[in-house]
Amino acid sequence: GTEGYTEDVNISALYLTQVLDTRDTFFLPTRGHWLRARADLSLDALGTELPFVRLDGRYARYLSLQPGTVLAWTARLGVVLPLADEVIPIQERYFNGGQNTVRSFREDELGPTDADGEPLGGEAFSVGSLELRQELVGDFSMALFVDAGNVSLDHQDALAFDDLRFGVGPGLRWLLPIGPVRVDWGINPDPRPDERDWVLQFSLGVAF
């Protein structure tokens, strides 16, 4: 549906997750890969008031090109499938845009909106990112990135990849004992009238 479902519902679900991780480090990996597949089963037998199945997966790969230089990329896909004639409530939908998705958009601002301009989310989404990371001096490093992603209102469009939006730009990282502090300048290469030309993202940790 195209309108948010605001009524409170009780959801009971079974979560199944499989993870494969061969990264050499957690904070700033330089080699290896990371894969996560997850299924959420919200079924009548579990006492849920809204039956649905959610499937999402994420893969990331890290290649050391030379000492201090890493090429990294990731792909993420997700879809929620309603099992009854119900609108998926907005709190169970996918959103896109922000510091760990398409960085030329603020948090959750990529995708369909209602008449007031508020994000609606959707039943499917995709994100792909490519980063070239380079060590600088001391605990500082930089990155150049390209992001792409979308949100689909209907789960049937999960593999259509329509209306992809993009973000490109540079970033700076400062490695602290608790993880890297990250600043990314996400530039929208083709902004629409209601979109920002660029967004400055501040966060703790890497995008992927």
Side-chain angles (χ1 to χ4, degrees), residues 1 13 18 34 112:
Q18 181 66 48
W34 184 79

Side-chain angles (χ1 to χ4, degrees), residues 4-11 48-50 86 89-92:
Y5 183 88
T6 57
E7 182 181 342
D8 291 337
V9 292
N10 292 320
I11 295 177
T48 190
E49 294 180 358
L50 181 72
E86 298 280 354
I90 198 165
Q91 64 268 23
E92 295 296 334

Side-chain angles (χ1 to χ4, degrees), residues 87-184:
V87 176
I88 295 296
I90 198 165
Q91 64 268 23
E92 295 296 334
R93 297 180 184 182
Y94 288 107
F95 291 83
N96 208 334
Q99 60 195 26
N100 295 324
T101 53
V102 180
R103 284 166 274 187
S104 57
F105 291 80
R106 289 186 177 175
E107 197 72 22
D108 297 341
E109 288 190 353
L110 188 159
T113 59
D114 62 17
D116 297 323
E118 294 297 321
L120 284 172
E123 294 178 350
F125 91 118
S126 67
V127 174
S129 295
L130 176 71
E131 274 198 5
L132 181 63
R133 302 170 178 173
Q134 177 63 53
E135 292 182 2
L136 298 176
V137 294
D139 294 326
F140 289 92
S141 62
M142 66 167 292
L144 298 175
F145 62 85
V146 178
D147 303 326
N150 75 336
V151 175
S152 300
L153 281 173
D154 196 303
H155 63 274
Q156 296 180 353
D157 298 323
L159 299 179
F161 304 110
D162 292 334
D163 202 26
L164 281 174
R165 311 300 297 136
F166 295 88
V168 299
L172 183 66
R173 289 88 173 92
W174 179 25
L175 184 59
L176 299 176
I178 59 172
V181 174
R182 176 163 55 99
V183 180
D184 288 322

Side-chain angles (χ1 to χ4, degrees), residues 21-33:
D21 190 350
T22 66
R23 294 174 295 179
D24 56 345
T25 65
F26 176 77
F27 286 144
L28 287 173
T30 62
R31 62 179 61 87
H33 55 86

